[in-house]
Structure formats: structure tokens, C-alpha cells
Amino acid sequence: MKGYARALAACLTLTLLTALTSCTRGDEDVTLRVLASPELADLEPLLGELEDDTGVRLDMDYRATADLSGARRSSYDLAWPASDRSFLLRLQDQGEQTARPESTAIMRSPVVVGLTPKTADRLRAGTPGGRLSWADIADAAADGTVRFGMADPRNSDTGRAALVGVATAAAGTGSALREQDVSCDRLRGFRSGQTLTGASSRELIASYTGHQNEANALIAHESELLSLNATKKLREPLEIIHPEDGMVLSDFPLLLLDPGERTAYRKVVDWLLRADVQEKLMRRTWRRPVNQDVTPAEPLRESVGNALSFPDRLSIVERLVADYGDPASATTDQVVFLLDFSGSMRGQRIADLRAAFAGLSGADPTSTGKFARFYRGEHLTVVRFGGRVLQERTVTVRGDGDLRALAQTVAADSFDDSTAVWSALDRGYRIAAAAVREAPERPVSIVLMTDGESNAGISYKEFLRRYDRLGAGVRDVPTFPVHFGEADAAALDKAAAATGGRMVDANRSSLSDAFKEIRGCH
């Protein structure tokens, strides 16, 4: 009996030990499914160490999704994007402020520009002090000097951060983008220089290595460009430019989507933030450490300077991305300028008009001037009018010769004694109708500048009657009147409202500022 009891006790003990061992092994063998930025594929060699040290395995699903769409409704336990800003704005927009997941910044990297050495030298030579800005990049893209690659902001959080950075610099407010900052697109000149893209920045860089003749610049995270330079896949390393007017900083946060996995999440975060691991992350990925005990490697010691703020509303980001459109599709605008050459414009007023056009042609050295300038591929029509059309010229900008042709048109000294504002606008819509027929996908807008009241030609009522008979596509073409001198502000404002545009008052600033303000609106 005693032997049976001892055997039973031994059996029970073995069963208990087996159960305990099984439970312990189950606690150690945790697998978390992670929706991750494709950029983070460079961490794969370290994930084995993470699992060995913590018992947590990360099952990484690399997808380019700027706002982590669908992440919370799926089986993902964690998300690891380059930035969670769009995701948090989406939660905010849905009224889910209290449902924000726990988030921990793991590494940092600013969105910068990589230029071929020859291109960098050329841009610096024309920039006082040699410190390049987003405005300088946009200016060089508009004149064809810079041909760049950037990830698609519709899908990539890296591409979106880059676009927000450029647009914030273009707004020139020094603060986060507001709705009114994207109401007039100032990025057409910048966009005209894009020749390469990809759903993710990883795809973009892979494309660039095989098509280096198609671009001389890449806009991506500093870490990606440093890693690319280290691969020896380039004919010559890219020179990394930290734009003087600021950069958007990504912090590669790890987000806890399933609160039930908080214990495993904390193990992963604590491991990733260890000084020795942060050192490994920095050396392998060239991202900046968040652990202050880690000394940045030499290429990472340059200050990020002015960290640009992300917009605080999802609608602003969505509007910016939608307006930028598909970066793989070429886009050009057509702008019809109707310019008053009545006698009252003689003297200082015509000098101001010519100076405004010179600025739009590249002579304006200010940041706003560089973002607002005419760009390669843009279709421009100038109509000089008095009591009738005095001259009409259309060019497609291919180089300085086309811009000189426009300057010669504006430099003409023939004036008229009367002002047919509404006849000129009617002519503008006939030009617009032809443009819409030729290329329905091309945005068209009309700029009407006058310094006096209409005293010749058709009436405003007759203009509206003719406008209402236009096809739907042509009626979508907006007019942006520039109020100058003694022009009838009320009448111009009515015309803007009727056509979907808006009036700009040059008397409150200058003619140059007025043209820059409406530049590119459509």
C-alpha cells in the first residue's frame, strides 16, 4: 500500500511539474502580429535576438498604409509605422480620442533631400550662404534642374511626411498647415520635378537604384539615404541636405492595438529602448536613438533644426494629398492671364505688373516667390486688353525662351483708352473652352487683373448669360480677379463668386503679392 501511495505521489508530482513547465513555456512563446512600415524590413536580423531575450516573436506584415487603415479591425496586435500622426488624426476625426492606443517612440529620422553631388553644387552656387531650403528645391524642380523621387503620399507615411514638410515650408507661416494654407496649391512647380515614385519609400529606393538617369534627387528619411549610400549601389553617394526651412521628424512609434498583449508589448519596448539595442538599431538602420545614453554616430550629429509641425486636422492632410494627386501621372496647369492695358495703367502701375511677371518667371528670390513661380510644362496665355483684345500669346514653358516671350508681351507699350472687362473675361472663357476640349484632365484657371471699371464691350449681365451656356467642364474653370487701383471691387467679387474663384485685393499689399497669392489656384 505504501508503495502504491509513493508511486501515486510521484505520478502526481510529475503531472504537476509537466503542467507547470507547459504553462511556463506558453508564457515565453508569445507571437505578436505587427502591421509595419516597409522601411522596417531592415530590422529583421535583430528580431531573432528580440525573441531570444524576451520570448516574444514579432510576426511582421510590411504594408505601405499611411494611416494604418483597417489595423484596429484586424488581427494585428501591434502597429509599427514611421509615423502615427495620420492614424491618430483619423481616430480624432472619428471621435475616438479616448481610444488612442499606447504608443512609444523607438527611433527618429527626419525627412530630408538626397542630391547628386553635381546637383548639390549647382544649387548651392546660386544660394546665398549655400544653405538649401525646400523653397530652393521647389524652385529648381520648377525650372527643370532637380528631378526627384518621392514615395506616394496616398499610401506611404514617408511620402506623406515629405509632402507635409514641403507644403508647410511653402505656406511660410512657421506653424502647422491650416485649411487656408492649402486652398491655393503652391506645389505645382515642385510636383513638376517628380520623375520617380513608389508605394513605399523602400520601393522607391529600389526603383532609383535601377533608374539613376531618371532622377538626381531623392526625398526620404535621412536613415534611408544613409543606408542607400552604404550599399555601394549608386554611381556616387547622394549628398544629404537638411532643408533650412525645417523638416518633419518621424519617430517610428510602436503602438499597442490589443490591450490584452500589454505585458508582451512592454517586454518588446523595454528591450528596444535598452542602450545596447539602441546602439545596434542606430548602426544597422542609421536612425537616431531616442535613448539619451547613446551617443549618435557621426553622420547623425547634424541638428534637425526647425522640426515642422504636422497639421492638427485630418481634413487638411487629406486635402493636401488629394490635390497632389497621383505622382506617377504627369500634371500641368493652364492659366489664362487677362491683363488690363487701358491708359490708366501707364507709368508705375504697368511697371508693377511687369515686376510681378518677372517674379513669377523666377526673378523673385523670396521663399514664397520660389514656390509660386512658373514651371516647366505649364501652359500660359497672356491676353492684353483695353476696349478690345490688344494682343494674345500662349506658350508652354520649356525654358527661359518661353518666359522671355511672355515678358515681351507684358513689356508692350500699346494701351487703349477704354476698358472692356467683361468682354475680356468672355474671351478668357473661350480660351478655356478650347483648353478643356484639348485636355479635359488639365486644370485651367483664369486670372483677371484690372485697375478700373468696365466702360466698353459687353455688360456683366451679358457675360453671365454667355457663361451659363458653356459646358459643365468649362463652367468649372474659376476666375480669380485681382483688384487694383480704382477697379470695381464689388463687381469683381461677384464674378469670382459666380465662377467659383475668389478676388484678391492688390491695393492691400502689392501686385506681386496678389499674383503669388492666387498662383496655381484651381
Side-chain angles (χ1 to χ4, degrees):
M1 188 70 179
K2 288 181 180 179
Y4 173 77
R6 281 195 299 271
L8 179 61
C11 185
L12 288 172
T13 300
L14 180 61
T15 302
L16 180 59
L17 286 172
T18 301
L20 288 171
T21 302
S22 176
C23 288
T24 302
R25 186 162 51 247
D27 284 345
E28 291 176 350
D29 296 342
V30 177
T31 297
L32 300 180
R33 185 162 164 75
V34 186
L35 176 62
S37 166
E39 283 185 53
L40 294 172
D42 57 10
L43 296 183
E44 284 288 346
L46 295 178
L47 297 184
E49 293 183 36
L50 167 66
E51 184 176 0
D52 291 341
D53 290 352
T54 66
V56 181
R57 177 176 176 270
L58 298 185
D59 180 11
M60 307 283 274
D61 183 9
Y62 300 107
R63 296 194 182 189
T65 169
D67 62 357
L68 304 180
S69 299
R72 305 186 75 225
R73 297 189 297 274
S74 67
S75 59
Y76 294 109
D77 302 302
L78 310 179
W80 201 349
S83 169
D84 61 3
R85 296 181 183 97
S86 290
F87 172 63
L88 296 180
L89 288 177
R90 181 162 63 83
L91 294 187
Q92 174 183 295
D93 201 50
Q94 295 169 355
E96 300 180 27
Q97 293 91 335
T98 59
R100 286 191 169 200
E102 186 174 345
S103 176
T104 307
I106 304 299
M107 321 169 260
R108 294 193 173 94
S109 193
V111 175
V112 299
V113 184
L115 297 174
T116 60
K118 182 178 179 181
T119 305
D121 290 343
R122 180 174 177 181
L123 295 191
R124 267 197 299 267
T127 304
R131 293 282 299 175
L132 298 177
S133 66
W134 287 117
D136 295 319
I137 301 300
D139 187 48
D143 73 11
T145 301
V146 163
R147 295 168 290 109
F148 67 89
M150 185 179 81
D152 190 339
R154 299 172 302 171
N155 304 312
S156 167
D157 42 13
T158 307
R160 186 165 294 188
L163 180 58
V164 166
V166 177
T168 303
T173 63
S175 58
L177 285 172
R178 305 160 299 172
E179 291 282 358
Q180 58 266 39
D181 295 327
V182 291
S183 62
C184 294
D185 178 21
R186 294 184 182 275
L187 299 185
R188 288 301 188 194
F190 169 77
R191 191 192 189 289
S192 70
Q194 182 160 8
T195 56
L196 285 177
T197 191
S200 67
S201 55
R202 191 174 182 84
E203 184 179 307
L204 166 71
I205 288 174
S207 175
Y208 176 69
T209 58
H211 301 85
Q212 294 180 48
N213 287 334
E214 295 182 23
N216 54 20
L218 283 180
I219 299 174
H221 282 117
E222 171 191 66
S223 56
E224 295 176 287
L225 299 181
L226 287 170
S227 296
L228 176 61
N229 282 344
T231 65
K232 310 299 183 184
K233 294 180 180 179
L234 303 180
R235 294 170 190 152
E236 51 187 350
L238 295 174
E239 185 170 332
I240 295 177
I241 305 299
H242 297 79
E244 190 175 22
D245 39 3
M247 290 157 277
V248 171
L249 188 66
S250 297
D251 57 8
F252 296 86
L254 188 63
L255 282 68
L256 176 63
L257 301 182
D258 181 359
E261 298 291 355
R262 178 167 280 105
T263 299
Y265 169 79
R266 290 311 317 171
K267 286 183 180 180
V268 173
V269 166
D270 290 345
W271 187 85
L272 290 170
L273 296 183
R274 276 172 24 190
D276 61 322
V277 176
Q278 287 270 295
E279 178 84 23
K280 289 180 181 179
L281 289 172
M282 177 180 67
R283 296 295 177 184
R284 174 165 289 279
T285 72
W286 295 108
R287 298 185 185 104
R288 299 177 181 227
V290 296
N291 187 325
Q292 298 300 310
D293 293 331
V294 178
T295 302
E298 196 279 329
L300 304 177
R301 291 175 188 168
E302 181 164 347
S303 171
V304 297
N306 176 30
L308 298 176
S309 300
F310 212 76
D312 59 3
R313 293 175 59 186
L314 182 63
S315 60
I316 298 174
V317 179
E318 289 179 335
R319 185 173 182 179
L320 179 64
V321 171
D323 194 62
Y324 196 78
D326 181 357
S329 300
T331 181
T332 57
D333 293 71
Q334 177 150 347
V335 184
V336 181
F337 291 93
L338 308 174
L339 307 179
D340 185 348
F341 267 64
S342 59
S344 58
M345 282 292 295
R346 287 189 176 94
Q348 187 58 48
R349 289 181 179 180
I350 201 65
D352 291 344
L353 176 61
R354 290 165 181 161
F357 259 75
L360 294 178
S361 297
D364 187 341
T366 66
S367 176
T368 55
K370 290 177 178 180
F371 277 108
R373 64 164 296 163
F374 297 136
Y375 63 88
R376 290 208 174 200
E378 189 171 19
H379 302 267
L380 302 170
T381 299
V382 170
V383 176
R384 298 191 305 109
F385 73 92
R388 57 185 176 82
V389 171
L390 300 174
Q391 186 180 4
E392 179 179 319
R393 172 170 277 179
T394 297
V395 302
T396 298
V397 180
R398 302 298 182 196
D400 291 341
D402 301 301
L403 296 177
R404 284 194 296 271
L406 284 186
Q408 289 169 4
T409 303
V410 179
D413 280 327
S414 58
F415 294 85
D416 197 72
D417 292 334
S418 54
T419 309
V421 173
W422 309 120
S423 292
L425 189 54
D426 179 60
R427 174 59 188 160
Y429 274 95
R430 280 185 278 158
I431 296 170
V436 169
R437 285 194 301 271
E438 179 184 342
E441 76 286 353
R442 181 189 302 153
V444 182
S445 60
I446 296 174
V447 176
L448 168 64
M449 190 287 299
T450 181
D451 73 336
E453 295 185 14
S454 186
N455 56 20
I458 66 173
S459 66
Y460 175 66
K461 184 177 180 180
E462 175 61 18
F463 162 73
L464 285 182
R465 189 181 69 79
R466 297 183 184 187
Y467 172 80
D468 289 339
R469 293 206 310 260
L470 296 170
V474 186
R475 288 199 306 274
D476 289 338
V477 173
T479 292
F480 300 95
V482 177
H483 175 237
F484 192 44
E486 296 75 43
D488 187 340
L492 295 177
D493 197 38
K494 282 196 304 182
T499 60
R502 67 185 179 87
M503 186 187 76
V504 178
D505 193 345
N507 290 327
R508 295 183 178 180
S509 53
S510 70
L511 204 51
S512 289
D513 287 343
F515 274 105
K516 284 191 288 186
E517 186 176 341
I518 53 86
R519 182 76 180 95
C521 288
H522 57 81

